[in-house]
Amino acid sequence: MTALAILAARAVRLAIRVLRPGGGSAAPGLVANRLAPTLLVDVINSFPEGLVIVSGSSGKSTTTSMLSALLRAHGLSVFTNHSTANIRQGLMSALLSEITLAGRARASIAVLEMDEAHGAKIVAELAPTTVVLTNVMTDQIDRFADPRDVAQMLEVIALRATRQLVLNADDVFVNAMPSSPEAVVSRYGVAESVIAELPHGLGNLRTTPTRLVDGVIVESVLDYSTRLRIRGVAVDVDLPARGVHYAIDLAAAVAAALAILGDYFDPTLAQQALSALAPVFGRGERVTVQGKLVELVLVQNPTSFQLNIDHLPPSIEQLLVAVGSDVRDPSYLWPVDTSSLGSVVTVSGSQAEEMALQLAYRGVSVGAVEPDLLRALDDFIALPDPADGVKTIIFSADSMRRTRRHWRLT
């Protein structure tokens, strides 16, 4: 049954890639899980060097990508859910090309991004050696009524770590996470001098009153680069995208790699691997569409929205903002100070009217409101090139997926 389930799911994946490029990561996993219900857990628990789980409200995808690159640079064979699919069926879909027909893992270690709620449900069946937690934010209000509910879910995941637990020292909820008796706890954080330069701080719902002095520390951030303090040594690293939030993700990945590799950790290898890393889907990613260069900026909660626009260059000439059906409660848009955007060519998506109103209240000039995202994308890409040659799109997750499908971005 295992081989049949894998073959059937691979056939579904192939059909989706042919018929609907750029989307549909969950369906193959649904097929495999239905035909072989224990396959996912059996495979995830079979990696000889262990299982690493990365979870939290924000930063999971980038941290997972960075940590995977670090471990590969040190010679480990790594499986990861690089498509950012982080619930049960998505994880199974990601595994399909990485396992044998007998359901055995080819890689030596797994580094998996996991959604907070789904991770808390499945983790009782898993044996993670390392757990990395990013933050707790006001996020997905329709799913999580209170950030404390998210913290409780992350606590369930944290207590399953059997070797290492890696925590964000600047987040009140994460910093206070309990650990199992056998897990060694390590932390990462941001220097006070960095926070002082940010117009809206770190944006966490609750930030610890003091800064970390012993661990992996973000000491400076300048556009696409950051300086980390690692074991007392300053290391300069290029970032895949702008912003302190990416520097924090990098610190989380480095702290996790240190915990996993111990004395085998090589700062020079780490620097080389991280500086060559590309952005993860839509997170500062630059793509070419119809000969036009477009920067894609994904926002998923108020903090993500705020930190991303705080680090955008001033006076963007051509900007499209698209907020889709994933934002079921548009009230989360209102705390964000969008005034630095200045002007927006088009606002689109199912929440276009609400987003346009928010921008207007912040004094941002809006050229057009076009709820039809595909039409808005076509009109936007047809505009003459801006002076700096880069068009910019800020979008929520639903609009990101629809944009990628429309432009056939892999």
Side-chain angles (χ1 to χ4, degrees):
M1 181 58 74
T2 294
L4 176 62
I6 294 171
L7 288 172
R10 286 176 178 172
V12 171
R13 183 183 59 188
L14 178 61
I16 290 173
R17 287 179 175 177
V18 172
L19 298 174
R20 197 184 187 192
S25 65
L30 285 170
V31 171
N33 288 334
R34 179 65 62 88
L35 295 176
T38 67
L39 178 59
L40 176 64
V41 169
D42 291 343
V43 173
I44 291 178
N45 284 331
S46 71
F47 290 88
E49 297 294 330
L51 165 64
V52 182
I53 293 177
V54 181
S55 194
S57 296
S58 186
K60 299 183 289 292
S61 299
T62 303
T63 300
T64 298
S65 176
M66 289 173 168
L67 177 55
S68 299
L70 284 171
L71 297 179
R72 289 189 182 108
H74 286 81
L76 289 177
S77 173
V78 181
F79 164 74
T80 185
N81 48 338
H82 53 79
S83 68
T84 75
N86 59 21
I87 61 177
R88 195 177 191 108
Q89 57 265 33
L91 290 169
M92 189 67 252
S93 294
L95 276 167
L96 288 172
S97 61
E98 305 293 334
I99 57 178
T100 67
L101 287 178
R104 304 303 299 174
R106 293 192 177 99
S108 59
I109 189 170
V111 180
L112 301 181
E113 168 192 345
M114 283 197 182
D115 173 85
E116 310 92 292
H118 289 274
K121 290 178 181 177
I122 194 177
V123 76
E125 305 172 67
L126 304 178
T129 49
T130 304
V131 170
V132 185
L133 300 183
T134 59
N135 45 55
V136 175
M137 297 180 182
T138 305
D139 185 23
Q140 302 180 61
I141 298 173
D142 58 300
R143 294 180 65 202
F144 309 130
D146 192 312
R148 287 170 292 189
D149 295 338
V150 179
Q152 290 175 357
M153 295 170 189
L154 293 180
E155 182 176 323
V156 172
I157 299 173
L159 288 170
R160 293 293 295 172
T162 58
R163 297 180 193 169
Q164 295 97 17
L165 177 61
V166 182
L167 303 176
N168 181 350
D170 296 315
D171 186 292
V172 165
F173 289 114
V174 173
N175 186 56
M177 283 290 160
S179 62
S180 62
E182 61 269 30
V184 176
V185 178
S186 56
R187 288 177 169 82
Y188 62 94
V190 181
E192 188 64 49
S193 58
V194 174
I195 298 176
E197 294 178 356
L198 300 172
H200 300 93
L202 291 179
N204 287 340
L205 180 68
R206 294 180 61 190
T207 304
T208 52
T210 59
R211 304 280 68 80
L212 184 69
V213 296
D214 183 22
V216 178
I217 302 170
V218 177
E219 289 200 328
S220 66
V221 181
L222 180 62
D223 207 18
Y224 284 92
S225 66
T226 186
R227 173 168 289 180
L228 298 183
R229 179 70 56 176
I230 306 172
R231 290 178 173 171
V233 177
V235 178
D236 294 323
V237 182
D238 293 335
L239 294 171
R242 303 181 191 89
V244 68
H245 45 309
Y246 291 107
I248 295 171
D249 295 343
L250 186 146
V254 170
L258 271 170
I260 295 166
L261 297 168
D263 292 338
Y264 291 102
F265 181 85
D266 183 333
T268 302
L269 279 179
Q271 184 181 43
Q272 293 170 350
L274 292 169
S275 293
L277 201 61
V280 178
F281 283 156
R283 296 154 175 87
E285 179 185 17
R286 290 191 170 194
V287 297
T288 300
V289 179
Q290 299 176 25
K292 310 293 180 69
L293 184 61
V294 185
E295 181 169 350
L296 307 177
V297 181
L298 175 66
V299 298
Q300 301 192 85
N301 52 53
T303 297
S304 166
F305 202 159
Q306 190 67 70
L307 290 177
N308 272 290
I309 65 175
D310 283 351
H311 289 281
L312 286 174
S315 304
I316 297 175
E317 183 180 336
Q318 285 186 17
L319 173 62
L320 184 152
V321 178
V323 180
S325 60
D326 54 310
V327 182
R328 294 183 176 89
D329 183 350
S331 65
Y332 104 51
L333 302 169
W334 285 89
V336 182
D337 181 2
T338 54
S339 59
S340 63
L341 296 177
S343 64
V344 173
V345 171
T346 305
V347 180
S348 188
S350 59
Q351 297 286 2
E353 299 286 351
E354 186 83 19
M355 188 70 244
L357 184 62
Q358 197 272 9
L359 290 167
Y361 268 95
R362 290 290 187 175
V364 178
S365 171
V366 175
V369 178
E370 174 50 79
D372 186 331
L373 178 60
L374 303 190
R375 181 179 299 171
L377 290 170
D378 290 341
D379 291 345
F380 184 68
I381 207 67
L383 291 173
D385 289 346
D388 65 357
V390 183
K391 297 172 180 284
T392 304
I393 298 179
I394 298 174
F395 44 24
S396 67
D398 171 67
S399 295
M400 178 193 74
R401 288 188 288 268
R402 296 184 64 204
T403 297
R404 300 190 77 88
R405 286 198 299 268
H406 185 59
W407 285 341
R408 293 180 174 266
L409 301 174
T410 57

